[in-house]
């Protein structure tokens, strides 16, 4: 019993629940870590280019690069050749003596850094597998990796740069450094000036299936046309300027394959020369439709503007007919794209083409044409869902950011599983051809298509408009986009597992094979969970648990609008989210983005307390009840059972005062002491005590341990003896002074007796161990599997659309099978 005078009334332990001890965590003077240390110590100092609020500063600048490109596709040689005229506008306050250009195709050269520096069996390569530390087991090399090696050995890959000239046709000095090229200018380019120059280039297109690239061709040898047909997806296909930024100057990092791209905005005029029977999809708007489209196709495009469902510009029948024979004739498709950071395109005679207008309203781009291009292999899966998914994405993303800013949004099927560029995306899922000639698809393939289209179209917002540095910080586009595609996906169908819930990241967060989210892209160990799932789950938690939807949505939209067509860094995102929400989130960014800590909050003990009234007639009686509730000793119980008579019962004539009174008997001495205690109280103190005694509330002390290191809010579900439940939210700030262990006092009405406590029962915080989230501990649910049991059919990817056609075996077939077995 603790006697605290005055307003600090005494809390008397009435019952203490039996404790299940978690791993003891002791915080000592030497190991204290401030989880709430301000992030400004780490972030770049605000300046005139990027201010402390996370906004572009008063002197913010970025470069502008315009391209005029003529390119020709040699289908037979699978080769691209082109020339580009580039206008580089120096908006920086500095003089530039040279320009750095990206030569991404050089990654496929045998002597590229990506090839030479590859670690056999290491993280990031799909093919080689090794048994580390076991010399007796042979290393494994997949057939896919062998195919890749053979393709690269058999083909001359990488750029052929035949000319680099200034605007007057004079050769410029240049130096190729791996996947980069430095162009030396005749004189320094002053701030505010521009320079014109041209590059002639060519390269052999890679087979995407062979080398696992972000672009390339796919061959269909079974098509009716002799020699088959190809689909060409062209990206990273022209020499592009590196970005020159206020935070890094030239972003000239070698292209190693994983870290994507950092580019400048500009205007494009591109002429694409292809076989006359090809259909071309590209960034931008087609400026010569009369030269390349039939009158019927142009009419269908017009009808698509107001159609309820997608209209075929090129029908399946027309595409199948087009597949049968090639042509020696050529057509040039001309496209124009303003204020884009890149340009990609696709070309094939296999494409059918559907379109549907999206009336998004607003002043900037009230109408957008959504389109899909796909071969017969896309089938009904693409007909039903591709273009509709494109429009759904724009509807959702625009609510969280800004109106879709471009005139077209396209989804193209080809060998690339999923890649994004301004106004055009490459998406891989397809149907399967069956023996009866039909095409079906599994539920998983359907979900994959819807999910990948939403994700890749979403990338047109992040990073194609909110132009983050992909090579440096993958999470800034993949993580933010995965968060939003999870929103759009769950608004499409919440039953599809979108992989962005907090529960989806717990396995990764407790693993040893991880690095902080802020790690540079090429050094990330497991890109998917690190750059996609973990930041998406973190933002989900920030929205649903910490800030709430109203504050989060306002702040996220503010960030999107501030950095539309500009280049944000992580500090700009962190600062904007805090400045616009009005909530200090440094602890959140530090824990989720700068560390590999995980969430594991354990509820270790619950103490039930009762207020000490100081009235001996009340308190001593309570103490007697506590004593009586204790179990008697086993010795005494067995003696009773054996009928042993006690000495005091055999000798009743020997008695004294203590046979009728115990240590809980109240005397006037205690009563006088109580009266003096009351007399010494100030009026307000006596009033507080009397009310507390009258209310007779229950006082519970809940003790928590932070086993994972990542501080988070504590979400409680309290269950009472009357069957009711109550939710309580304890902010993360409870951990501010003691980040390893905390206690929380919970006060309930005297009729609300607490019987159990659960931490995060809805799995909203990515807690990696839910079993220490319950008090009292629950029986751990598990399962037992019979030895040699077959795998559950639920684990097998089933194509029900195809399996439904299976004929039911007749009884005579069964009897026949039995007879055969008997023989």
């Amino acid at each position: 019993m603790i006697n605290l005078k005055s307003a600090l009334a005494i809390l008397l332990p009435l019952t203490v629940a039996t404790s299940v001890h978690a791993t003891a965590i002791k915080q000592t003077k030497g190991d204290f870590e401030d989880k709430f240390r301000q992030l400004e110590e780490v972030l770049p100092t605000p300046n005139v280019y990027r201010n402390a609020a996370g906004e572009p500063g008063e002197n913010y600048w970025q470069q502008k690069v315009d391209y005029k490109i003529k390119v020709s596709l040699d289908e037979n040689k699978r080769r691209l050749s082109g020339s580009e005229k580039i206008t580089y506008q120096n908006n920086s306050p500095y003089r530039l003596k040279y320009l750095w250009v990206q030569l991404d195709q050089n990654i496929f050269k045998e002597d590229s850094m990506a090839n030479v520096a590859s670690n056999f069996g290491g993280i990031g390569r799909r093919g080689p597998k090794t048994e580390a530390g076991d010399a007796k087991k042979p290393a494994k090399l997949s057939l896919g990796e062998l195919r890749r090696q053979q393709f690269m050995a058999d083909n001359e890959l990488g750029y052929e740069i035949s000319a680099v000239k200034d605007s007057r046709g004079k050769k410029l000095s240049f130096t190729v450094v791996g996947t980069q090229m430095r162009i030396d200018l005749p004189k320094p380019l002053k701030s505010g000036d521009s320079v014109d120059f041209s590059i002639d280039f060519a390269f052999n297109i890679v087979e995407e299936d062979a080398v696992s690239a972000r672009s390339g061709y796919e061959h269909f040898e079974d098509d009716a046309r002799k020699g088959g047909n190809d689909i060409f997806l062209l990206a990273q296909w022209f020499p592009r300027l590196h970005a020159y930024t206020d935070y890094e100057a030239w972003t000239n990092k070698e292209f190693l394959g994983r870290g994507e791209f950092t580019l400048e905005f500009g205007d494009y005029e591109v002429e694409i020369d292809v076989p006359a029977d090809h259909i071309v999809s590209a960034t931008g708007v087609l400026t010569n439709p009369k030269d390349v489209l039939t009158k019927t196709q142009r009419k269908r495009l017009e009808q698509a503007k107001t159609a309820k469902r997608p209209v075929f510009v090129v029908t399946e029948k027309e595409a199948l007919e087009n597949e049968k024979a090639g042509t020696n004739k050529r057509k040039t498709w001309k496209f124009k794209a303003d204020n884009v950071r890149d340009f990609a395109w696709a070309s094939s005679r296999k494409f059918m083409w559907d379109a549907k207008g999206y009336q998004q309203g607003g002043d900037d781009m009230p109408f957008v044409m959504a389109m899909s291009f796909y071969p017969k292999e896309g089938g009904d899966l693409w007909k039903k869902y591709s273009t509709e998914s494109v429009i759904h994405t724009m509807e959702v993303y625009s609510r969280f950011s800004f109106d879709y800013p471009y005139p077209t949004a396209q989804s193209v099927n080809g060998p690339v599983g999923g890649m994004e560029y301004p106004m055009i995306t490459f998406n891989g899922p397809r149907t399967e051809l069956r023996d009866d000639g039909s095409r079906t698809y599994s539920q998983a393939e359907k979900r994959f298509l819807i999910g990948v289209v939403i994700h890749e179209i979403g990338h047109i917002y992040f990073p194609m408009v909110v132009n983050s540095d992909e090579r440096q910080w993958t999470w800034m586009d993949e993580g933010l986009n995965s968060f939003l595609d999870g929103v759009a996906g769950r608004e499409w169908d919440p039953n599809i597992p979108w992989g962005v819930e907090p529960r989806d990241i717990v396995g990764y967060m407790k693993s040893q094979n991880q690095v902080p989210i802020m790690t540079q892209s090429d050094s990330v160990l497991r890109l998917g969970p690190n750059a996609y799932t973990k930041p998406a789950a973190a933002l989900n938690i920030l929205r649903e648990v910490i800030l709430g939807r109203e504050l989060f949505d306002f702040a996220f939209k503010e960030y999107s609008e501030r950095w539309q067509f500009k280049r944000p860094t992580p500090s700009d995102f962190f600062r904007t989210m805090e400045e616009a929400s009005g909530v200090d989130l440094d602890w959140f960014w530090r824990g989720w983005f700068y560390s590999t800590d995980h969430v594991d909050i354990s509820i270790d003990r619950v103490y039930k307390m009762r207020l000490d009234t100081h009235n001996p007639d009340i308190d001593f009686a309570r103490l007697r009840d506590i004593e009586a509730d204790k179990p008697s000793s086993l010795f005494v119980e067995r003696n009773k059972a054996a009928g042993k008579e006690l000495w005091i019962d055999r000798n009743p004539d020997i008695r004294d005062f203590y046979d009728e009174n115990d240590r809980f008997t109240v005397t006037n001495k205690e009563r006088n002491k109580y009266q003096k205690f009351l007399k010494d109280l100030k009026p307000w103190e006596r009033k507080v005590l009397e009310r507390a005694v009258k209310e007779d509330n229950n006082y519970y002390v809940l003790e928590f341990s932070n086993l994972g290191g990542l501080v988070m809010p504590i979400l409680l579900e309290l269950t009472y003896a009357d069957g009711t439940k109550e939710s309580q939210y304890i902010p993360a700030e409870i951990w501010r002074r003691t980040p390893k262990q905390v206690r929380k006092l919970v006060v309930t009405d005297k009729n609300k007796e607490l019987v159990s406590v659960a931490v995060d029962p809805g799995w909203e915080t990515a807690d990696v161990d839910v079993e220490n989230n319950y008090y009292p501990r629950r029986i751990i649910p598990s399962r037992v599997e019979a030895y040699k049991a077959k795998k559950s059919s639920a684990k097998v990817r089933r194509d029900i659309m195809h399996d439904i056609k299976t004929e039911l075996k007749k009884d005579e077939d069964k009897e026949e099978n039995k007879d055969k077995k008997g023989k």
Side-chain angles (χ1 to χ4, degrees), residues 785-793 795:
E785 186 173 316
Y787 185 67
K788 293 182 68 175
K790 293 181 179 180
K791 290 184 178 180
S792 168
S793 60
K795 296 179 181 178

Side-chain angles (χ1 to χ4, degrees), residues 406-418:
Y406 296 123
T408 65
Q410 302 162 72
S411 171
V412 182
N413 181 246
V416 177

Side-chain angles (χ1 to χ4, degrees), residues 812-823:
E812 52 264 32
D813 294 335
K814 296 179 181 178
E815 293 299 325
E816 184 178 342
N817 289 335
K818 288 181 181 179
D819 293 340
K820 288 181 180 179
K821 289 180 180 178
K823 296 177 182 178

Side-chain angles (χ1 to χ4, degrees), residues 669-801:
K669 181 178 179 180
E670 285 81 26
R671 293 187 179 98
N672 290 335
K673 186 177 179 181
Y674 171 58
Q675 293 300 324
K676 184 178 186 306
F677 166 75
L678 293 178
K679 184 178 180 180
D680 290 343
L681 290 177
K682 297 176 182 178
W684 69 267
E685 292 175 325
R686 184 162 183 166
K687 184 177 180 181
V688 167
L689 178 62
E690 289 174 349
R691 176 178 171 178
V693 171
K694 181 179 180 181
E695 290 176 344
D696 195 19
N697 289 329
N698 295 313
Y699 296 84
Y700 299 94
V701 176
L702 282 54
E703 189 173 286
F704 304 94
S705 293
N706 179 3
L707 303 179
L710 188 55
V711 296
M712 286 291 285
I714 304 175
L715 311 184
L716 293 180
E717 182 181 78
L718 309 177
T719 301
Y720 298 104
D722 61 6
T724 60
K725 294 184 178 182
E726 178 188 359
S727 296
Q728 287 194 13
Y729 177 92
I730 304 174
E733 281 72 11
I734 192 173
W735 303 99
R736 183 178 288 276
R737 295 181 179 86
T738 54
K740 295 185 177 182
Q741 284 184 320
V742 293
R743 293 179 177 181
K744 183 65 178 177
L745 176 65
V746 174
V747 183
T748 70
D749 185 84
K750 63 181 177 181
N751 297 320
K752 301 290 286 186
E753 184 177 353
L754 187 63
V755 294
S756 67
V757 179
V759 174
D760 190 18
W763 296 1
E764 299 172 49
T765 65
D767 195 309
V768 304
D769 183 2
V770 298
E771 296 310 326
N772 61 23
N773 290 3
Y774 294 90
Y775 195 93
R777 292 290 188 258
R778 65 177 185 173
I779 296 175
I780 300 175
S782 186
R783 62 188 180 90
V784 62
E785 186 173 316
Y787 185 67
K788 293 182 68 175
K790 293 181 179 180
K791 290 184 178 180
S792 168
S793 60
K795 296 179 181 178
V796 181
R797 178 177 285 192
R798 302 166 59 213
D799 185 344
I800 304 173
M801 187 181 291

Side-chain angles (χ1 to χ4, degrees), residues 124 140 216 231 243 266 384 530 565 587 600 756:
K140 298 178 181 179
I231 289 177
K384 291 176 183 288
N530 178 279
F565 295 113
W587 62 271
D600 185 4
S756 67

Side-chain angles (χ1 to χ4, degrees), residues 490-545:
R490 286 171 291 182
E491 289 189 17
W492 177 288
D493 181 357
N495 294 317
I496 298 176
W498 294 100
V500 296
E501 297 280 358
R503 66 192 68 182
D504 297 321
I505 197 61
V506 295
Y508 173 69
M509 291 190 69
K510 65 183 178 182
S511 72
Q512 297 298 313
N513 194 24
Q514 60 173 306
V515 293
I517 290 176
M518 286 294 292
T519 303
Q520 192 270 333
S521 303
D522 292 306
S523 299
V524 172
L525 301 183
R526 297 171 62 192
L527 193 68
N530 178 279
Y532 294 69
T533 313
K534 185 177 177 181
L539 293 178
N540 252 311
I541 293 169
L542 191 60
R543 183 178 190 238
E544 302 292 353
V545 177

Side-chain angles (χ1 to χ4, degrees), residues 60-340:
Y60 176 83
W61 57 268
Q62 61 189 30
Q63 311 291 60
K64 186 174 188 289
V65 189
D66 298 331
Y67 297 83
K68 292 183 178 179
I69 309 175
K70 293 183 178 180
V71 63
S72 180
L73 171 65
D74 187 329
E75 181 179 26
N76 294 328
K77 294 182 179 180
R78 292 162 176 154
R79 181 176 175 82
L80 209 64
S81 57
S83 62
E84 58 181 343
K85 294 181 179 179
I86 302 172
T87 299
Y88 188 90
Q89 175 70 38
N90 182 16
N91 294 323
S92 80
Y94 311 108
R95 296 193 313 162
L96 303 178
K97 296 170 64 177
Y98 44 78
L99 306 177
W100 279 100
V101 176
Q102 302 184 55
L103 302 179
D104 302 306
Q105 290 296 321
N106 283 1
I107 194 175
F108 303 114
K109 287 180 173 288
E110 285 189 331
D111 63 350
S112 72
M113 185 182 292
N115 254 350
V116 176
S118 63
N119 177 12
F120 180 75
I123 294 172
R125 287 296 293 274
R126 304 177 190 177
K129 302 294 179 185
T130 58
E131 302 291 343
D134 192 343
K136 296 180 180 180
K137 291 185 178 181
K140 298 178 181 179
L141 193 64
S142 72
L143 293 176
E145 177 65 14
L146 286 172
R147 180 188 183 188
R148 180 180 187 274
Q149 293 176 5
Q150 292 167 4
F151 182 89
M152 295 179 71
D154 294 344
N155 294 274
E156 288 291 331
L157 302 176
Y159 277 114
E160 297 173 19
I161 304 297
S162 55
V164 180
K165 300 177 181 179
D166 65 15
S167 59
R168 294 175 294 178
K170 185 177 180 180
K171 290 183 179 180
L172 293 173
S173 174
F174 66 90
T175 302
V176 174
V177 184
T179 59
Q180 305 172 97
M181 178 172 68
R182 190 190 72 237
I183 300 176
D184 300 322
L185 300 176
K187 62 179 181 179
L189 182 62
K190 295 179 181 179
S191 174
D193 287 353
S194 63
V195 61
D196 297 326
F197 61 98
S198 63
I199 302 175
D200 295 341
F201 62 94
F203 64 89
N204 295 320
I205 303 168
V206 298
E207 183 178 5
E208 199 283 334
D209 287 343
V211 302
S212 186
R214 298 180 187 276
S215 62
Y217 72 86
E218 178 182 14
H219 185 58
F220 296 81
E221 60 183 4
D222 295 330
D223 279 2
R225 177 176 178 259
K226 184 179 180 181
N229 289 302
D230 292 341
I231 289 177
F232 294 90
L233 302 183
L234 282 306
Q236 300 89 50
W237 58 277
F238 62 100
R240 307 172 296 173
L241 267 294
H242 269 295
Y244 183 78
T245 71
D246 62 279
Y247 61 85
E248 192 179 357
W250 287 108
T251 56
N252 49 348
K253 292 183 177 69
E254 179 77 7
F255 180 38
L256 299 177
R258 172 169 284 183
E260 293 184 62
F261 312 104
T262 310
L263 301 159
E264 306 284 10
F265 286 109
D267 300 333
Y268 286 72
E269 294 178 18
V270 182
E271 298 182 9
I272 304 173
D273 173 52
V274 296
D277 57 354
H278 274 216
I279 295 295
V280 177
S281 165
T283 296
V285 174
L286 181 65
T287 60
N288 65 331
K290 291 184 179 180
D291 297 335
V292 294
L293 302 181
T294 67
K295 185 176 180 180
T296 299
Q297 290 168 343
R298 298 198 303 272
K299 183 179 179 180
R300 291 169 178 170
L301 264 177
E302 191 64 29
Q303 292 171 344
K305 289 182 178 180
T306 56
K308 184 178 179 181
R309 293 287 178 235
V311 172
F312 279 98
V313 181
V314 176
T315 67
E316 181 175 18
K317 182 179 179 181
E318 292 165 347
L320 288 171
E321 186 65 28
N322 205 31
E323 278 190 356
K324 294 179 180 179
T327 179
N328 292 324
K329 296 180 181 180
R330 311 284 295 183
K331 281 184 179 179
T332 299
W333 296 60
K334 298 180 180 180
F335 293 89
K336 189 175 189 303
D338 294 332
N339 206 20
V340 295

